[in-house]
Amino acid sequence: MKKFRSTINEKSASFNLNKDAMLKLIEKLEFNLELSKVQGTESSLKKAKKRGKSLARERIKKLLDKDSDFMELMPLAGLKHENGFGPGGTTVCGIGYVENKLCIINSNIGSKKGGVVDYATSLKNLRLSQIAKENKLTTINLVESGGANLPDQDRVFNNYGAMFKEMSRRSKEGILTVSVVFGNATAGGAYVPGMSDYTIMQKQQAKVFLAGPPLVKMATNEESTDEELGGAQMHSSISGVSDFLAENEDDAIKIARKIIEININDNVKQTKNNLNPPLYKKEELLGIIPENLKNPFDIRDLIVRFVDNSEFYEFKENYGVTMKCGWSKINNHSVGIIASNGVIFSEAAKKATQFIQLANKNNIPILFIHNTTGFMVGKRHEQNGMVNHGAQLIHAVAGSEVPHITLLVGNSYGAGNYAMCGRSFDPRFLFTYPNVKSGVMGAEQLAGVMEIIKTNSAKNSDIKIDKRKLNKEKKDLIILAEEKASVWHTSSELMDDGIIDPRNTRFYLSFCLDIINKEKIKGSSSYGTFRL
């Protein structure tokens, strides 16, 4: 097999224009990520410290193994939500190593709005449930939450219920949930420790109850204290909700680590990112993708900058060239790569379909890389069976049983998004670059289609067209469509697991492959109907 060799010139004017544009987007990303790290007002942070409490991110650091990386997930959830609690909501979550075991860690930000769950946070919790189940990962909840945000109750209510259902189903499958309660766990928040396989409560700090003293007084006229209703001592000695009573925060975390050590058998050694590094510099990833996504580029130039030894062995190199398929390794993990290299033609779809079958036969996970405006349209292509060939590819993606990882690096529009395992096709993980645009179709195409429909409708109804009004509506629609297609909107709505700096691509992909390879990979030899 012939290895691809990149000919990118990092001194060229176009490379540096692209790099400058990407760096501006990364600057915006870093600004938003800093916003997501805000853990409350200055006064609430002082109050927490005065009570001897650690903050959410500090608790995660204490829990993780000393040399563990932490892959934070969905840090910008709710970024664009008008009535939300800011990017990231009221929880910090991600995956890291605890006692050499890969675990999901979900840490409530008790110092931010009391850790109550807004809509974005409820969506994060649901996504974490999916990741835990698919990857058979233990979840450790670091609990300090006032339950659902009541103004959001109509949107949070069902998500809360679904989260509890998934906790129960995971427990049935032997996938543990461990909860460590450091403060209030009220109302819906009480069911998190209540439904966990193991629950640890911190003495004199943890308070777990369905209703606090004021609500109990109002409902039953009963007088009670916090400790009588839901204190750690009471739950450890009377109700039995608590399995372990911790003296302080450090003791609680020590107990959680011991539970993981004793109960989880899958020791996974963390692989470092310096195994067989690429030959090319990762900084070069910044200048390859054009500022204007209408301009083509060779997707292989990206691939060889994050795979082992920059080796990409291409499958059917000269056939269906708008789809690049091939075999590589990332941190010594084998991976099949399907990368859209522009519009998807029939030949490209057929090639990717065959490649998916091969990956399944060989039990190799697939990395999908997006840069496409979708399937090719037009009379000749329709007559040539574009619908059938596109459907074959979608069948293959939906029927594939090896793990999928998806990376969006440019355009991701229409059915091309589905065929390349977009969010609706449930890849194990999905990350995006900060320049990505995604939706049904591009903003200009969308506005143009709507203009044609309105013009034809007016003609058919014999109505005079107001061209000024039509042009204004078209411009407004382009602005709106651009905003909805932007990565800032899609990440806010949890259509990805995070926006990443292109230079960190190898870190994220290798971490995901560590998680995926924790279990034995098994593919499928059976698929949906391929209409030939």
Side-chain angles (χ1 to χ4, degrees):
M1 297 182 191
K2 190 170 70 175
K3 288 187 288 188
F4 173 76
R5 294 296 178 199
S6 179
T7 56
I8 289 291
N9 178 10
E10 60 179 316
K11 293 181 180 176
S12 70
S14 60
F15 179 94
N16 283 291
L17 281 172
N18 296 338
K19 182 179 177 180
D20 289 345
M22 184 63 81
L23 284 170
K24 283 179 185 173
L25 290 169
I26 290 169
E27 191 176 324
K28 185 174 181 179
L29 171 61
E30 287 172 347
F31 174 80
N32 286 327
L33 289 175
E34 283 302 311
L35 287 180
S36 77
K37 290 174 184 173
V38 173
Q39 298 183 84
T41 62
E42 195 174 328
S43 62
S44 67
L45 297 180
K46 281 182 180 176
K47 192 176 178 182
K49 288 296 183 184
K50 193 174 179 181
R51 291 178 175 176
K53 290 177 177 285
S54 298
L55 301 180
R57 291 180 182 274
E58 292 170 339
R59 287 171 181 160
I60 292 172
K61 194 172 180 181
K62 285 181 180 180
L63 179 66
L64 289 170
D65 292 346
K66 192 174 180 182
D67 58 346
S68 172
D69 289 321
F70 180 65
M71 184 172 74
E72 187 172 349
L73 299 169
M74 300 165 284
L76 299 185
L79 173 68
K80 296 289 185 179
H81 291 186
E82 286 185 17
N83 300 313
F85 295 156
T90 55
T91 186
V92 182
C93 59
I95 301 173
Y97 287 85
V98 178
E99 294 292 335
N100 287 323
K101 280 95 171 175
L102 280 162
C103 298
I104 288 175
I105 303 169
N106 189 14
S107 184
N108 299 140
I109 309 175
S111 52
K112 185 179 180 182
K113 305 288 185 180
V116 300
V117 175
D118 65 348
Y119 180 54
T121 308
S122 74
L123 291 175
K124 283 179 80 169
N125 288 335
L126 277 185
R127 174 65 182 139
L128 284 179
S129 295
Q130 184 182 17
I131 292 169
K133 187 172 184 179
E134 287 177 342
N135 297 285
K136 294 182 170 55
L137 291 172
T138 295
T139 299
I140 305 173
N141 295 310
L142 306 181
V143 183
E144 188 172 4
S145 171
N149 180 39
L150 294 182
D152 267 337
Q153 65 172 329
D154 59 323
R155 299 193 294 170
V156 168
F157 184 62
N158 284 336
N159 291 345
Y160 240 136
M163 180 183 74
F164 297 142
K165 176 195 71 177
E166 290 305 321
M167 284 177 74
S168 180
R169 286 184 172 175
R170 293 200 307 276
S171 181
K172 181 182 176 182
E173 292 179 23
I175 306 168
L176 295 186
T177 300
V178 178
S179 286
V180 190
V181 189
F182 297 100
N184 284 334
T186 312
Y191 282 107
V192 174
M195 293 195 67
S196 295
D197 295 285
Y198 291 98
T199 294
I200 304 155
M201 293 189 188
Q202 184 186 343
K203 191 185 285 186
Q204 297 177 335
Q205 293 287 347
K207 302 286 186 293
V208 178
F209 38 59
L210 299 178
L215 184 53
V216 168
K217 172 70 174 171
M218 187 180 74
T220 68
N221 205 33
E222 181 183 65
E223 298 283 351
S224 53
T225 65
D226 279 357
E227 180 58 42
E228 288 170 330
L229 274 179
Q233 190 76 48
M234 185 280 288
H235 280 308
S236 298
S237 58
I238 300 175
S239 77
V241 172
S242 171
D243 301 312
F244 301 94
L245 181 64
E247 291 295 321
N248 50 46
E249 280 198 4
D250 290 344
D251 186 38
I253 285 169
K254 189 186 292 183
I255 294 169
R257 287 180 58 85
K258 181 57 72 174
I259 289 170
I260 299 301
E261 180 192 349
I262 293 169
N263 285 273
I264 312 300
N265 296 321
D266 56 328
N267 267 34
V268 183
K269 287 190 177 178
Q270 186 173 188
T271 55
K272 296 300 179 184
N273 285 322
N274 58 0
L275 288 178
N276 309 314
L279 303 178
Y280 303 98
K281 295 179 287 186
K282 64 181 181 180
E283 285 74 18
E284 292 174 0
L285 286 163
L286 300 175
I288 294 169
I289 304 171
E291 179 182 7
N292 183 350
L293 289 176
K294 290 179 182 177
N295 296 331
F297 69 97
D298 194 329
I299 199 78
R300 294 173 299 180
D301 284 318
L302 286 182
I303 294 169
V304 295
R305 283 167 173 81
F306 57 73
V307 298
D308 288 4
N309 301 316
S310 296
E311 292 178 349
F312 177 63
Y313 294 100
E314 196 168 346
F315 175 73
K316 289 187 185 291
E317 179 186 354
N318 299 312
Y319 178 80
V321 294
T322 60
M323 191 79 81
K324 298 298 181 183
C325 303
W327 309 106
S328 271
K329 288 190 174 184
I330 299 175
N331 252 22
N332 216 31
H333 291 304
S334 294
V335 63
I337 298 175
I338 299 176
S340 49
N341 201 41
V343 178
I344 303 172
F345 289 85
S346 284
E347 296 80 7
K350 288 190 285 185
K351 177 168 78 171
T353 299
Q354 183 185 357
F355 189 81
I356 290 168
Q357 290 175 301
L358 291 170
N360 274 264
K361 286 179 189 295
N362 293 289
N363 304 320
I364 295 174
I366 302 171
L367 168 64
F368 292 87
I369 305 176
H370 291 220
N371 179 40
T372 184
T373 50
F375 292 114
M376 190 61 192
V377 297
K379 282 188 289 188
R380 182 168 67 86
H381 302 287
E382 296 284 10
Q383 291 168 7
N384 196 36
M386 187 70 255
V387 171
N388 277 348
H389 302 137
Q392 288 172 25
L393 176 53
I394 291 171
H395 267 309
V397 173
S400 171
E401 291 182 11
V402 295
H404 298 165
I405 302 169
T406 300
L407 177 67
L408 277 62
V409 303
N411 288 314
S412 183
Y413 284 112
N417 176 278
Y418 308 151
M420 293 296 294
C421 198
R423 175 58 105 198
S424 56
F425 278 68
D426 289 331
R428 294 284 187 96
F429 297 96
L430 188 154
F431 295 100
T432 63
Y433 284 178
N435 61 310
V436 162
K437 294 187 184 299
S438 183
V440 174
M441 63 181 74
E444 289 179 12
Q445 289 86 351
L446 189 149
V449 167
M450 292 304 298
E451 182 184 30
I452 291 168
I453 290 170
K454 287 177 182 178
T455 301
N456 290 342
S457 177
K459 282 179 181 176
N460 292 336
S461 304
D462 202 23
I463 298 170
K464 189 178 178 183
I465 299 167
D466 184 340
K467 288 194 174 179
R468 274 178 116 183
K469 184 183 176 185
L470 194 64
N471 284 336
K472 185 182 184 307
E473 287 175 349
K474 184 179 178 181
K475 286 177 183 175
D476 290 345
L477 189 55
I478 288 172
I479 292 168
L480 180 63
E482 284 282 0
E483 183 186 327
K484 296 293 184 185
S486 81
V487 74
W488 312 112
H489 173 77
T490 55
S491 195
S492 177
E493 298 302 314
L494 284 90
M495 295 182 202
D496 61 48
D497 295 316
I499 306 170
I500 65 171
D501 182 328
R503 291 170 292 192
N504 295 331
T505 303
R506 185 171 166 86
F507 165 77
Y508 280 90
L509 295 181
S510 64
F511 206 115
C512 291
L513 287 165
D514 281 349
I515 295 163
I516 284 166
N517 281 278
K518 184 173 71 70
E519 301 290 326
K520 188 176 180 181
I521 294 170
K522 191 174 186 305
S524 171
S525 56
S526 176
Y527 296 90
T529 302
F530 293 163
R531 294 174 53 88
L532 300 175

